Amino acid sequence: MPRALILVLDSVGCGGAQDAALYGDAGADTLGHLAVACATGRGDRNGVRQGLLNAPNLDALGLGLVALASSGMMPPGFSLPAEPKALWGYGVECAQGKDTPSGHWEMAGAPALAPWGYFPKAAPCFPPKLTQALIAEGGLPGILGDCHAPGIEIIERLGAEHIRTGMPICYTSADSVFQIAAHEEHFGLERLYDLCKVARRLCDALAIGRVIARPFVGDARQGFVRTPRRKDFAIPPPPGNLLERVAQAGRAMASIGKVGDIFAHCFTGQEIKRDGNMAHFDATLEALRDLPDGGLIITNFLDFDTDFGHRRDIAGYAHCLEIFDSRMPELFAAMRPGDLAVISSDHGNDPTWTGTDHTREHAPILCFGPRVAGGPIGRRESFADIGASLAAHLELPATASGSSFLKAA
């Protein structure tokens, strides 16, 4: 019986969606702009990387072809392989927004059923009723922030006051999210998680997609640093997704990275969370080694987004993609004859773009395996075609949405 993997390169979009202007993202192109920046020296960093974006394994699968089809531009450093090793195309998100959960849910074959709720770009940005209830139920002296802000910047700005007052730092972004940052030692990690559970319940009525715990350490003199003990508290995903189909069939499932949080721990099987992309790549190879026939692995590679996209770090983003690419031969070698893997993304986060938020983009689709003959699958009108295709490959009932591209290949 075959096995399947979904590898989510978090935020590695491949060109602005047709409705990107609605989100202030007209012209955004994470992969294309990243490659151009590298070609013009903006991606150089001494001791880290320099020159053209170098991702030969992804290029051989057809990533350059994907970018050309999606954006109309061939990224510098990529090519037009005569015989790409993957089924290649790109997906258009049908759900509204540019959020992590909606992208993953749709990828799994069950798009978000209703629009997300968002907080306005105002200060304060949270409804007074929400703030008052959080303070009362959390036993807090108050909150800091109450605004749209980049996570690193607001912790640097308010970290010392947080320690002095005991008030957690609460903020949001262009995503449907309520984020709470607190010092692991002065506030307490478990206390932060408990507070986020209260906030999750209070945010349900507002249709806020995620409440995120953002623990950090440090002090005002040496600076503050976020720790890897972040935890997301998400709305449960829609029914009929691929994970649910796998669980209903009694198959094995491994959720690596923040996948368990994104799917609210619903049908997520064995959850594995480590620190960083390469640790998650190791975990993927280990899980694949032990995965029984008919099983599924979903891995989220978060560093692209959190460490480099939001921080608009071009060189870091390029290096991150190059390191991921260098590990691909290990995955190829670990796959069995009937295995099928899909590389895709949940949204964009163009490191050359203005601001610090996600960008509304197409998602690359590269579908490969030892027995897969490469070729185009074209523009897919929903990320859900990924879940539908893997459900077909695993011989499971169809997902709630999506059309298999395996039939057309």
Side-chain angles (χ1 to χ4, degrees):
M1 186 179 292
R3 306 182 301 173
L5 304 90
I6 301 178
L7 308 180
V8 184
L9 309 191
D10 198 306
S11 86
V12 184
C14 60
Q18 287 180 315
D19 60 356
L22 298 176
Y23 302 86
D25 297 330
D29 182 356
T30 298
L31 181 61
H33 288 167
L34 178 68
V36 169
C38 290
T40 55
R42 294 168 61 205
D44 290 355
R45 181 174 296 162
N46 290 336
V48 176
R49 69 160 316 278
Q50 62 181 11
L52 292 173
L53 185 60
N54 183 32
N57 295 297
L58 292 170
D59 187 33
L61 290 175
L63 187 57
L65 292 166
V66 170
L68 178 62
S70 170
S71 69
M73 181 188 75
M74 173 60 71
F78 288 80
S79 66
L80 296 172
E83 296 183 358
K85 297 178 181 179
L87 297 171
W88 59 272
Y90 65 93
V92 179
E93 187 170 11
C94 66
Q96 297 181 26
K98 46 184 178 178
D99 299 274
T100 294
S102 58
H104 282 74
W105 297 353
E106 189 166 328
M107 216 181 303
L113 300 176
W116 298 108
Y118 297 91
F119 296 112
K121 277 201 169 182
C125 67
F126 301 129
K129 184 177 179 181
L130 170 62
T131 303
Q132 293 163 8
L134 184 68
I135 291 171
E137 294 190 37
L140 304 172
I143 66 169
L144 301 174
D146 201 350
C147 62
H148 282 243
I152 299 298
E153 180 274 331
I154 198 169
I155 290 171
E156 292 174 346
R157 176 162 53 90
L158 297 177
E161 187 175 357
H162 158 68
I163 292 173
R164 181 180 64 81
T165 63
M167 299 182 187
I169 303 168
C170 300
Y171 63 102
T172 188
S173 70
D175 295 339
S176 180
V177 64
F178 187 99
Q179 305 193 68
I180 307 179
H183 199 284
E184 286 193 3
E185 298 163 0
H186 292 277
F187 192 85
L189 185 61
E190 292 302 321
R191 184 185 176 199
L192 173 60
Y193 292 159
D194 288 341
L195 182 62
C196 286
K197 292 174 185 177
V198 172
R200 171 67 277 167
R201 175 170 46 79
L202 295 174
C203 285
D204 283 350
L206 302 175
I208 300 302
R210 286 180 296 165
V211 172
I212 303 179
R214 294 285 195 178
F216 64 93
V217 294
D219 56 42
R221 184 174 59 87
Q222 297 184 343
F224 298 104
V225 179
R226 294 200 298 200
T227 75
R229 287 169 285 279
R230 158 187 172 163
K231 185 175 287 189
D232 295 34
F233 300 83
I235 292 175
N241 63 68
L242 180 62
L243 284 68
E244 184 180 58
R245 297 289 188 250
V246 169
Q248 289 170 339
R251 308 280 185 83
M253 171 76 200
S255 302
I256 301 174
K258 64 175 184 176
V259 173
D261 290 343
I262 293 168
F263 283 86
H265 312 287
C266 298
F267 308 110
T268 46
Q270 180 188 14
E271 295 186 6
I272 303 167
K273 185 181 286 189
R274 297 181 182 173
D275 184 10
N277 277 5
M278 293 304 97
H280 288 140
F281 206 109
D282 292 338
T284 301
L285 295 177
E286 293 163 11
L288 184 60
R289 180 193 62 208
D290 299 329
L291 187 70
D293 289 348
L296 174 69
I297 296 171
I298 301 182
T299 304
N300 175 280
F301 294 94
L302 179 63
D303 295 359
F304 301 106
D305 186 59
T306 298
D307 290 351
F308 308 112
H310 286 302
R311 301 183 190 186
R312 298 303 189 249
D313 182 347
I314 295 171
Y317 204 119
H319 183 61
C320 190
L321 188 61
E322 291 169 340
I323 294 297
F324 177 89
D325 183 87
S326 72
R327 301 287 307 269
M328 289 299 295
E330 297 174 64
L331 178 64
F332 298 151
M335 295 177 73
R336 296 177 187 167
D339 291 348
L340 191 69
V342 173
I343 289 177
S344 191
S345 183
D346 49 348
H347 49 71
N349 201 345
D350 187 338
T352 73
W353 206 241
T354 58
T356 59
D357 293 324
H358 294 156
T359 43
R360 175 79 170 181
E361 295 187 42
H362 297 147
I365 300 175
L366 295 170
C367 178
F368 59 95
R371 293 178 176 169
V372 174
I377 57 172
R379 171 190 169 104
R380 313 303 301 188
E381 295 304 326
S382 173
F383 294 0
D385 289 3
I386 295 171
S389 300
L390 293 187
H393 174 71
L394 294 173
E395 301 175 5
L396 296 170
T399 51
S401 184
S403 174
S404 172
F405 47 69
L406 300 179
K407 299 175 182 178

